[in-house]
Amino acid sequence: MAVATATVAAHEAHPTSTGLNSRKMLFWAFLGSECMFFGSLIATYLVYRGRDQVGPHPHEILNIPFTSVSAFVLLMSSLTMVLALAAVQHGNVRGTRIWLAATALLGMTFLAGQCYEFTQFYFEGLALQTNLFGTTFFVLTGFHGTHVTVGVIWLWTLFVMAMQGRLPRERALDVEIAGLYWHFVDVVWIAIFTLVYLIQ
Amino acid sequence: MATTTAAIHAPVQAESGLWSWITTVDHKRIGILYGTTAFVFFLIGGLEATIMRLQLMRPDNTLVSPDFYNELFTMHGTTMIFLAVMPLSASFFNFLIPLMIGARDVAFPRLNAFSYWIFLFGAIFLNLSFFFGGAPDVGWFGYSNLTSKQFSPGHGVDFWAVGLQILGIASLAAGFNFIVTIVNMRAPGMKLMRMPLFVWMTLVTSFLIILAFPVITVALVFLLFDRFTGTNFYVPAAGADPVLWQHLFWLFGHPEVYILILPAMGIISEVLPTFSRKPLFGYPVVVYSGIFIGFMGWGVWSHHMFAVGLGPLADSFFALTTMLIAIPTGVKIFNWLGTIWGGRIEFKTAMLFALGFIAMFTMGGLSGFMHASPPADLQQTDTYFVVAHIHYVLYGGAIMGIFAGIYYWFPKITGRKLGEGLGQLHFWLNFVALNVTFFPMHFVGLLGMPRRIYTYAPHMGFDWMNLLSTAGVFGIIAAVLVFMWNVSRSLRHGEVAGPDPWGGATLEWAIPSPPPAHNFGTIPTVHSLDPLWHREGPELVKTANRIGGPIHMPPGSHWPMASALGITLLLSGMVFGWWLGIPGVLITLYGIYSWAFEPCT
């Protein structure tokens, strides 16, 4: 057995068959899997649309102007995510911190909007158990919200690393992968917003 | 993010002891863990089957109650699919893929350890149901709305749904890992079309896993929501359609069938050429048909649902796609026959199992083709004819293929060959007994005996055939005992194998048996599909064994195991209560963060 010697980036620097980074490839595969996950949730929502025995129905309760604003907030967080990645890739420590925090805060704003929306619907008579709309709507958007929550925790973790100076340019990939996740969650929201809110 | 010192001074791998197995990230050790664990569950699943066959030995038998019988067939199916065949295949993926592609380990060794531990914990959790108020009793496919709180008030269904979620995490993690390993970790020169066929089938299987498991995850999430929070996903009174479950389940379930069989097809595609002394006939065509099967596997799910009444259009479509998928499968069978045609055949045990696979799988394929036709299927569905079909493809197919693989690679794994005499006895006992057990089921089924019913009335014309099936089970048990005896004897006294006991063509035979922790001293460059059979062979063997410089192997880690434990406790909390769930959440968070920030992989 040879003596183990290593450098921090031994694994990263290891040449791969395709030249693509293995962690990034793993993450793309994971996002493929996530497509099937959200695909199944969205398909169920669509299959059950209009089959409710009792109200409230989507058109009575969905507040498009309000959700358009929170959708805009989430889209803007993708922009700040891109800026955070650009900053870390250029070794811009201050920019990295600012844009990571901005992205996380925008994500939290979206989540706050979702909390408000859920409570509002509940007081208007739509609970998880009320009808098929309540069941499929809350589970679909709830899972999306859970994904955003995981992303926010991830972003704050990166932010703390950036504050401690443990996020140098060489680790830009960490931010890039978090960014892939974040953009994916955004794209899923565009699909949900279109199919659930806009096309009723 | 970390200092370098930890990695340099960390021991490469503790050589022995329990802790070294708990913290191991070595793909070979994880493969062995997968294999032995899965074999234990294979025995448990076999025991469940034996009790069922004893109950069905004669009409109006009262050995077990109807309720317990329901638990038995549910747990037999779930165990054999998720705890035996899939992890047995995973054990081959683990042990062999890095060796076959010329890598030191998989792309993510700690994620690999995580897969194993969460599989083990999920399997234990599922089987705990026997001791906590009864095992699941709704069939391995758990059709709604039999699974609703109203019709299944006990905890059995909760154990089943949560257990499958935990096992799903194991499969998904392994799926991602092997896709990246195969795409990204190949030795220089090993183009995609120079990969051994087993590697190809693992790649296709991994894609099926990562795309199919999210679908059942969602179906099970709906079920758990219905049971725990009173939602309406499968509640007809609220306007829901219980057929939604069937669509989601079989949209996962049919790709799952190929997840079970493609690895076995990959195994025999390695065994047949070696013992025929001929390269695989029509290699590219076998690769393409494997990929085609992987694609088409997504377009046939509703053939499990012909009896639902989806209408003539849907039925015709799925009948056609089902018949179409028989074509690439048939192509493979002809390629295997073409491989042995004119070869210098050696009838070693591994070869016998591979040939047995072809024969038995073809029979299972033919009965499968019969119920591709909706009118025929309506006659056969829910009868023992279907039981005969699945056991020909999964026992005669997948399990025989796995045994072929065990006999073929046992020398590589342990350094010793399995006894050839006992091996031949194992094969013939198994081959005869499986036909005695499962062949009469075709007739019993066509005579109208329904599946999943705990007994039958006398004088229906199938008394003696049921007795025959039960007798056959004892032949299978004898065969398995012979195999276990053979393993325990050969581990101590088996013939020492050397690096290449069979004259194989692929990279794993270039290095010692068992391989050193780092696999290859120097990663060789590959110039052909069967490198060891080419002129480059001897030079390649020298390179593979020559240590050309410092070798970095990842240190062991206990965080994958801790994270797997945390996630299992977290999800078990749904059944057992918050006092288990809360610690689960904390351990999960602590485990994942410690893992993420652990120095240097």
Side-chain angles (χ1 to χ4, degrees):
Chain A
M1 183 84 229
V3 182
T5 54
T7 59
V8 171
H11 203 66
E12 307 268 0
H14 218 295
T16 60
S17 312
T18 55
L20 302 170
N21 177 279
S22 287
R23 272 167 65 202
K24 214 197 275 187
M25 188 182 287
L26 178 101
F27 214 80
W28 277 108
F30 170 71
L31 294 183
S33 194
E34 286 270 78
C35 285
M36 294 302 286
F37 181 82
F38 278 107
S40 306
L41 285 169
I42 293 171
T44 302
Y45 179 87
L46 295 178
V47 165
Y48 278 170
R49 182 148 67 183
R51 294 176 64 132
D52 301 303
Q53 310 285 313
V54 292
H57 300 287
H59 64 272
E60 298 160 4
I61 204 160
L62 293 179
N63 184 348
I64 296 179
F66 176 81
T67 315
S68 303
V69 173
S70 65
F72 179 74
V73 168
L74 195 63
L75 282 182
M76 283 307 104
S77 77
S78 262
L79 176 66
T80 53
M81 187 74 235
V82 171
L83 294 173
L85 177 61
V88 73
Q89 280 171 342
H90 291 99
N92 174 356
V93 179
R94 199 158 151 267
T96 307
R97 291 172 187 165
I98 290 173
W99 295 122
L100 280 175
T103 312
L105 287 171
L106 286 170
M108 286 166 82
T109 312
F110 174 84
L111 286 173
Q114 196 172 39
C115 285
Y116 169 77
E117 187 189 35
F118 278 19
T119 3
Q120 197 65 22
F121 287 0
Y122 184 77
F123 287 127
E124 287 174 36
L126 185 75
L128 193 56
Q129 300 88 350
T130 308
N131 55 15
L132 282 177
F133 170 58
T135 292
T136 50
F137 172 81
F138 281 121
V139 171
L140 169 60
T141 52
F143 265 105
H144 179 265
T146 313
H147 276 72
V148 176
T149 310
V150 170
V152 166
I153 296 172
W154 193 346
L155 287 165
W156 283 126
T157 308
L158 288 170
F159 175 77
V160 170
M161 285 169 68
M163 290 307 283
Q164 294 171 337
R166 291 197 294 166
L167 207 57
R169 188 189 297 194
E170 296 73 40
R171 300 208 66 92
L173 188 69
D174 286 9
V175 179
E176 190 176 350
I177 289 174
L180 282 177
Y181 177 82
W182 193 256
H183 298 314
F184 173 80
V185 172
D186 246 19
V187 169
V188 170
W189 183 252
I190 293 173
I192 293 175
F193 183 62
T194 311
L195 292 169
V196 175
Y197 290 80
L198 297 183
I199 309 171
Q200 286 177 18
Chain B
M1 89 180 95
T3 52
T4 53
T5 46
I8 289 173
H9 298 300
V12 169
Q13 189 72 261
E15 286 301 320
S16 60
L18 184 64
W19 188 245
S20 77
W21 284 91
I22 289 174
T23 58
T24 187
V25 294
D26 181 344
H27 70 97
K28 298 179 286 299
R29 285 180 155 211
I30 293 168
I32 292 168
L33 287 171
Y34 255 116
T36 43
T37 312
F39 191 76
V40 170
F41 284 107
F42 174 70
L43 296 181
I44 293 173
L47 179 67
E48 286 153 0
T50 309
I51 301 172
M52 277 193 283
R53 276 319 317 171
L54 287 173
Q55 163 66 18
L56 295 173
M57 185 170 69
R58 54 192 173 84
D60 292 332
N61 203 358
T62 53
L63 177 70
V64 293
S65 67
D67 289 339
F68 188 52
Y69 188 86
N70 291 346
E71 295 179 12
L72 284 173
F73 70 69
T74 303
M75 285 303 282
H76 169 70
T78 308
T79 301
M80 286 305 196
I81 289 167
F82 295 101
L83 311 184
V85 175
M86 280 183 74
L88 280 170
S89 303
S91 102
F92 285 101
F93 298 168
N94 270 285
F95 201 94
L96 292 168
I97 293 298
L99 300 183
M100 283 183 148
I101 62 174
R104 294 241 157 84
D105 207 318
V106 294
F108 301 94
R110 291 181 298 171
L111 186 65
N112 204 23
F114 171 78
S115 295
Y116 167 73
W117 291 109
I118 202 157
F119 150 68
L120 175 68
F121 296 144
I124 292 172
F125 173 79
L126 183 60
N127 278 279
L128 280 181
S129 60
F130 277 113
F131 309 104
F132 289 92
D137 56 358
V138 290
W140 83 275
F141 38 78
Y143 271 11
S144 77
N145 48 1
L146 179 60
T147 48
S148 66
K149 210 74 178 169
Q150 186 187 356
F151 301 111
S152 297
H155 269 320
V157 173
D158 301 331
F159 271 104
W160 179 76
V162 176
L164 288 191
Q165 297 286 45
I166 299 172
L167 293 165
I169 298 171
S171 305
L172 284 167
F176 299 134
N177 208 344
F178 281 99
I179 288 175
V180 178
T181 304
I182 294 170
V183 173
N184 240 3
M185 305 280 286
R186 283 164 288 136
M190 182 171 282
K191 299 173 182 166
L192 287 176
M193 290 313 270
R194 285 182 189 161
M195 297 197 307
L197 215 97
F198 179 70
V199 180
W200 261 112
M201 291 304 109
T202 305
L203 184 62
V204 175
T205 305
S206 301
F207 271 107
L208 289 176
I209 286 174
I210 68 157
L211 297 174
F213 270 79
V215 182
I216 195 179
T217 302
V218 167
L220 290 166
V221 162
F222 291 168
L223 176 61
L224 290 167
F225 264 101
D226 271 9
R227 287 181 64 84
F228 285 99
T229 68
T231 49
N232 308 306
F233 283 110
Y234 305 122
V235 182
D241 189 352
V243 177
L244 174 71
W245 167 270
Q246 297 191 24
H247 279 297
L248 290 174
F249 184 84
W250 289 117
L251 193 51
F252 149 79
H254 205 82
E256 170 69 16
V257 171
Y258 296 107
I259 292 169
L260 297 170
I261 199 67
L262 288 176
M265 289 179 163
I267 289 172
I268 74 152
S269 303
E270 301 300 325
V271 173
L272 291 168
T274 300
F275 294 106
S276 306
R277 321 302 308 158
K278 269 180 70 189
L280 187 70
F281 180 78
Y283 167 89
V285 181
V286 184
V287 171
Y288 295 141
S289 18
I291 297 171
F292 188 60
I293 290 174
F295 269 109
M296 285 298 297
W298 290 93
V300 298
W301 80 90
S302 283
H303 69 207
H304 296 273
M305 300 162 60
F306 282 150
V308 171
L310 298 173
L313 187 67
D315 282 358
S316 317
F317 175 80
F318 285 102
L320 282 173
T321 52
T322 306
M323 292 178 189
L324 190 62
I325 207 168
I327 296 174
T329 316
V331 165
K332 284 192 161 198
I333 291 172
F334 279 110
N335 277 283
W336 292 323
L337 294 177
T339 304
I340 54 178
W341 181 265
R344 225 171 58 240
I345 301 175
E346 282 180 277
F347 288 104
K348 299 283 193 212
T349 311
M351 183 64 168
L352 289 176
F353 272 103
L355 294 172
F357 172 99
I358 298 179
M360 296 298 98
F361 182 76
T362 304
M363 285 186 57
L366 287 174
S367 57
F369 196 68
M370 285 163 75
H371 35 243
S373 160
D377 180 74
L378 286 178
Q379 191 67 29
Q380 296 155 0
T381 193
D382 271 338
T383 72
Y384 266 82
F385 191 85
V386 178
V387 180
H389 162 71
I390 56 171
H391 285 89
Y392 268 88
V393 288
L394 290 184
Y395 192 86
I399 291 286
M400 292 260 275
I402 284 164
F403 273 124
I406 292 174
Y407 278 92
Y408 185 54
W409 282 297
F410 189 86
K412 182 51 58 188
I413 297 166
T414 66
R416 290 177 188 273
K417 282 184 178 179
L418 278 167
E420 190 60 28
L422 285 173
Q424 304 255 343
L425 180 65
H426 170 205
F427 170 77
W428 285 109
L429 264 177
N430 183 65
F431 187 76
V432 172
L434 98 87
N435 281 293
V436 172
T437 307
F438 298 118
F439 198 74
M441 290 183 184
H442 291 110
F443 299 100
V444 171
L446 290 179
L447 286 171
M449 181 166 163
R451 304 164 69 173
R452 301 191 283 271
I453 304 290
Y454 76 106
T455 193
Y456 52 94
H459 314 302
M460 304 276 283
F462 39 69
D463 296 9
W464 70 271
M465 285 192 274
N466 271 301
L467 184 62
L468 190 63
S469 280
T470 304
V473 169
F474 288 92
I476 295 179
I477 291 173
V480 172
L481 289 176
V482 169
F483 168 72
M484 288 164 70
W485 167 244
N486 195 0
V487 169
S488 74
R489 216 187 63 91
S490 304
L491 278 175
R492 283 169 287 134
H493 309 296
E495 183 191 334
V496 175
D500 187 11
W502 315 118
T506 39
L507 285 185
E508 77 271 26
W509 304 111
I511 53 175
S513 315
H518 56 266
N519 297 347
F520 298 90
T522 307
I523 304 294
T525 303
V526 178
H527 299 285
S528 62
L529 176 59
D530 307 298
L532 298 200
W533 286 357
H534 278 253
R535 211 177 305 157
E536 58 174 312
E539 189 53 41
L540 190 149
V541 171
K542 262 186 244 162
T543 314
N545 290 291
R546 185 179 61 230
I547 293 184
I551 296 172
H552 165 61
M553 295 304 292
S557 170
H558 55 280
W559 295 118
M561 196 274 272
S563 307
L565 182 68
I567 292 173
T568 309
L569 292 179
L570 183 165
L571 290 170
S572 321
M574 295 181 73
V575 179
F576 287 109
W578 60 270
W579 54 271
L580 206 57
I582 303 286
V585 173
L586 298 177
I587 297 174
T588 305
L589 287 175
Y590 188 61
I592 288 178
Y593 267 91
S594 306
W595 176 354
F597 289 101
E598 194 170 36
C600 195
T601 47

